[in-house]
Amino acid sequence: MAVVNQREHVSVQPAIEPITIDDARLHCDLDDSYFDGKLRQLIIAARNKVEQDTRLAFITQTRVLTFNDWPGTIDVELPTAPIQSVSSITYTDSNDSVQTLSASNYTVDAAHRPGRVVLNHGESWPSNRGHHNDITITYVAGYGSATTDVPELAKLAMLLLIRHWFDHGTAVSMDFAPPKTMPMAYQSTVDGMHWGQYP
């Protein structure tokens, strides 16, 4: 189950982005490299936005999930999909010492969304100190290490955002016209990638 008071961050960023500068140039109808610096920024921003909106990781990355206490069930859900592996599970015991939970105590269910860490038969969660961020799960998520591993729908969502941000670089115009909202095409594309209980 999902744990309460959880926090997650990316500890190792993807080595590459899901789309290239050439992809972004083409989608923005550009035929030279003048705006490449801006496009690089927009590519990173678009990936972060789409990953946040879909709870998906595109290119292989390491994520760290922390929470205060073990759940009352035998499983812990990992909030970002798809899961490749769990690197470690650590916890702070009652003596304020950081311990590593043996991988023989649990199984990683990476076949479903959300992915889960499930206690093996006869095992139980160890006692912990009971303070904030006592428990840390470090895991690897993403479709793969190459751009070809990423679903085309995810790339399209990024390109739609990049073009929108490129064309509308400020929130409002000088004459105080209403701000440009997200294009409907982007929202429809993101809706097609939603999964599980997450919005």
Side-chain angles (χ1 to χ4, degrees):
M1 65 175 293
V3 293
V4 295
N5 297 318
Q6 69 178 26
R7 295 169 178 82
E8 188 188 42
H9 69 274
V10 179
S11 63
V12 180
Q13 293 287 341
I16 61 171
E17 295 298 330
I19 60 176
T20 66
I21 289 289
D22 288 342
D23 296 330
R25 273 200 221 115
L26 181 63
H27 197 75
C28 292
D29 297 323
L30 301 172
D31 56 9
D32 59 40
S33 61
Y34 182 80
F35 290 104
D36 280 6
K38 180 177 182 178
L39 291 177
R40 286 189 183 92
Q41 293 177 326
L42 293 179
I43 287 170
I44 295 171
R47 172 179 55 79
N48 284 325
K49 173 64 174 169
V50 180
E51 287 183 333
Q52 180 184 51
D53 287 348
T54 60
R55 304 301 298 169
L56 294 171
F58 300 143
I59 299 293
T60 298
Q61 55 194 258
T62 301
R63 290 183 168 253
V64 176
L65 173 68
T66 59
F67 48 99
N68 299 353
D69 208 350
W70 301 106
T73 59
I74 64 168
D75 63 333
V76 175
E77 292 179 1
L78 304 178
T80 302
I83 306 303
Q84 294 184 19
S85 62
V86 169
S87 304
S88 66
I89 301 176
T90 62
Y91 62 96
T92 304
D93 64 20
S94 56
N95 295 317
D96 286 343
S97 297
V98 177
Q99 307 289 344
T100 299
L101 185 65
S102 172
S104 63
N105 289 5
Y106 60 87
T107 299
V108 178
D109 175 13
H112 298 91
R113 294 183 184 180
R116 302 179 300 160
V117 173
V118 185
L119 281 173
N120 290 334
H121 180 71
E123 300 292 347
S124 59
W125 301 119
S127 297
N128 64 293
R129 181 182 54 176
H131 292 180
H132 66 280
N133 298 336
D134 262 9
I135 300 156
T136 300
I137 299 179
T138 303
Y139 67 102
V140 179
Y143 288 96
S145 58
T147 59
T148 52
D149 296 322
V150 181
E152 291 300 319
L153 198 60
K155 296 179 186 178
L156 175 59
M158 287 182 59
L159 289 170
L160 289 169
L161 265 187
I162 290 166
R163 180 62 190 254
H164 177 69
W165 287 338
F166 185 84
D167 289 344
H168 309 288
T170 57
V172 294
S173 64
M174 292 300 292
D175 59 359
F176 300 102
K180 300 293 185 179
T181 58
M182 285 293 184
M184 185 180 297
Y186 170 76
Q187 192 57 56
S188 298
T189 305
V190 166
D191 287 346
M193 292 186 284
H194 281 166
W195 58 273
Q197 63 182 314
Y198 301 100

